[in-house]
Amino acid sequence: MKFESVVLSALAAASVALAALNPIVVKGNAFFDSVTGDRFYIKGVDYQPPDANGETSDPLMDYNVCSRDVPYIKALGMNTVRVYHVDNAADHSACMQLLQDNGIYLLLDVATADQAISRDYPMYSYNYVLLQHNFATIDAFSNYTNVLGFVAANEVVNAVNTTDTATVLKAVIRDMKQYISSRSPRTIPVGYCAADVAENRYQLAHYLNCGDESERAEFFGLNDYSWCGSSSYTVSGYNQKVANFNNYSIPLFFSEYGCNLVEPREFTEVQAIYSSQMIPVFSGGLVYEYIQEANNYGLVEVSSDLKNVTPLGDYYNLQYQFNHTQLPSGDGGYHANNNASECPAYVKGLWEANDTLPSMPAQASQYLTAGAGTPLGTDGPSNQWVPNSVLGSTSSSSAASATSTVSSTGSASSSSSNSASNSTASAAASRGAAVTNVLRRGAGFNSFVAPVIVVAFSFAIGLVAF
């Protein structure tokens, strides 16, 4: 069948409004349709097309963009898109309806370049400004039944020397869960998407799944690029991941996959991801990424006027794999009653997260009863504030590294030691920067990195609350 006819069929299907998609719920270590009881496997793509200037933009507020792309995503047989960045003050209703009409769920990251957990100063970034933004984003999307879940952060722990950030990450997950319980019309899972860092991937996964239920993540995504070229279940290390996560008690999936060290990408891992070997532990995954950018991970190319899409070879290869991979029937042998994890032991220089979480900032607690209020969008205040006393203690290193950014290499084998060591070196340089914060979108091997310069330090004391 010619691709054009596939697109026409998808467009025709999109023209008929479907009933609202059933909300997806978590049971044991898997996702399920809340109405039919069928198990839900993520079959998706990471979706963050840039604007005309090549800058990160919100694809769900521009119907011209989402209507251009959804037919191609639908033609792949996708049921999920992951979006890394939205403007919570914008109107998303038209694009969310279009996704709904095409049977597509949304996995949404709540962070933006100005509202995110800082790797350099995680405790100072944990303030009411961050939580107001996160809560307002929940308000903006919680009424859409096709929101699969909220991602509290992406790869904030990206090296062996950033594990202290996990304490704030877990606190943010707890706070978002509490806000959803208090203010959302339905339960929506909250989780995290992790870098595949060999030295701490399992400690982090278990840390986010240990302790009191109110503090635990409700899913764990792994950005994984270990299957390259004509690899296999064992060569890629997939078998080890299945074995190591066999007793994990919450849904686990690949939040990014699709190594491009060998081109063209054949996506032979698709058949493994949805095989009987993996589905008792994994719930599918999302291919990185939809739009072709400089990192060369795209499935499609967009014309310079942003009006037309041209599928690339990787698109057709992925389509072939999906067309020849049948999703399993039944519950896939999921684990309904696995126990929560044991909290990993503190190991200096390797795992430095604290099992005791900071309390929600006092100014943010009021949002649980009064609501987050008006969403402030991408032009709202940044949460990246550090007191002058702290800045002064690092001023000598700040001048040298104020413009440094964290390396964003991904895993290229079953062990990410080399990638992790490169990332560690860059992260170590960056952690001395007093005025730099990084929001990382997408792992890949040449990811997008957005530096945020912290300004107006005179307001620091007023904006930081513990």
Side-chain angles (χ1 to χ4, degrees), residues 70-213:
V70 165
Y72 290 89
I73 295 171
K74 177 67 174 177
L76 284 170
M78 300 287 196
N79 63 17
T80 308
V81 293
R82 178 186 176 192
V83 174
Y84 296 82
H85 167 101
V86 293
D87 182 339
N88 64 15
D91 179 6
H92 303 96
S93 57
C95 286
M96 289 302 295
Q97 185 63 52
L98 183 63
L99 292 175
Q100 179 104 252
D101 291 345
N102 284 273
I104 298 173
Y105 288 85
L106 170 67
L107 182 66
L108 180 62
D109 290 53
V110 297
T112 71
D114 288 324
Q115 296 92 15
I117 298 169
S118 169
R119 294 193 191 109
D120 295 322
Y121 297 100
M123 279 301 301
Y124 289 106
S125 68
Y126 179 57
N127 51 51
Y128 78 92
V129 175
L130 174 66
L131 294 180
Q132 192 280 336
H133 166 80
N134 289 358
F135 296 166
T137 302
I138 291 170
D139 287 342
F141 284 89
S142 60
N143 285 310
Y144 299 114
T145 60
N146 59 329
V147 172
L148 171 62
F150 292 110
V151 179
N154 180 66
E155 297 198 356
V156 292
V157 179
N158 72 332
V160 295
N161 69 329
T162 56
T163 59
D164 59 324
T165 309
T167 306
V168 168
L169 166 63
K170 194 170 182 178
V172 170
I173 290 173
R174 174 204 62 196
D175 298 344
M176 290 175 63
K177 288 176 63 177
Q178 189 172 358
Y179 188 80
I180 289 170
S181 177
S182 300
R183 305 291 304 179
S184 173
R186 67 179 178 93
T187 298
I188 303 173
V190 178
Y192 174 69
C193 294
D196 189 24
V197 179
E199 291 83 354
N200 57 42
R201 73 166 79 96
Y202 296 115
Q203 289 93 330
L204 177 58
H206 291 302
Y207 176 73
L208 295 182
N209 189 40
C210 76
D212 189 79
E213 188 279 332

Side-chain angles (χ1 to χ4, degrees), residues 41-45 72-80 257 266-271 273-274 284-287 299 314-327:
Y41 298 95
I42 296 174
K43 189 179 177 185
V45 66
Y72 290 89
I73 295 171
K74 177 67 174 177
L76 284 170
M78 300 287 196
N79 63 17
T80 308
Y257 74 89
E266 298 292 340
F267 293 109
T268 52
E269 65 265 47
V270 165
Q271 296 187 34
I273 290 171
Y274 300 98
L286 300 110
V287 173
L299 299 177
D314 284 1
Y315 181 99
Y316 293 112
N317 292 339
L318 181 61
Q319 187 179 54
Y320 176 86
Q321 294 296 339
F322 279 141
N323 287 343
H324 290 80
T325 301
Q326 185 174 357
L327 290 180

Side-chain angles (χ1 to χ4, degrees), residues 437-451:
N437 178 65
V438 172
L439 168 69
R440 184 177 180 283
R441 176 181 65 79
F445 295 86
N446 302 282
S447 314
F448 171 85
V449 177

Side-chain angles (χ1 to χ4, degrees), residues 31-78:
F31 296 110
F32 286 86
D33 185 302
S34 61
V35 176
T36 67
D38 294 335
R39 184 163 171 192
F40 180 81
Y41 298 95
I42 296 174
K43 189 179 177 185
V45 66
D46 298 311
Y47 179 61
Q48 196 76 49
D51 62 18
N53 298 316
E55 302 294 331
T56 301
S57 63
D58 179 353
L60 300 180
M61 71 179 191
D62 188 340
Y63 188 77
N64 291 328
V65 171
C66 67
S67 62
R68 176 197 68 194
D69 296 331
V70 165
Y72 290 89
I73 295 171
K74 177 67 174 177
L76 284 170
M78 300 287 196

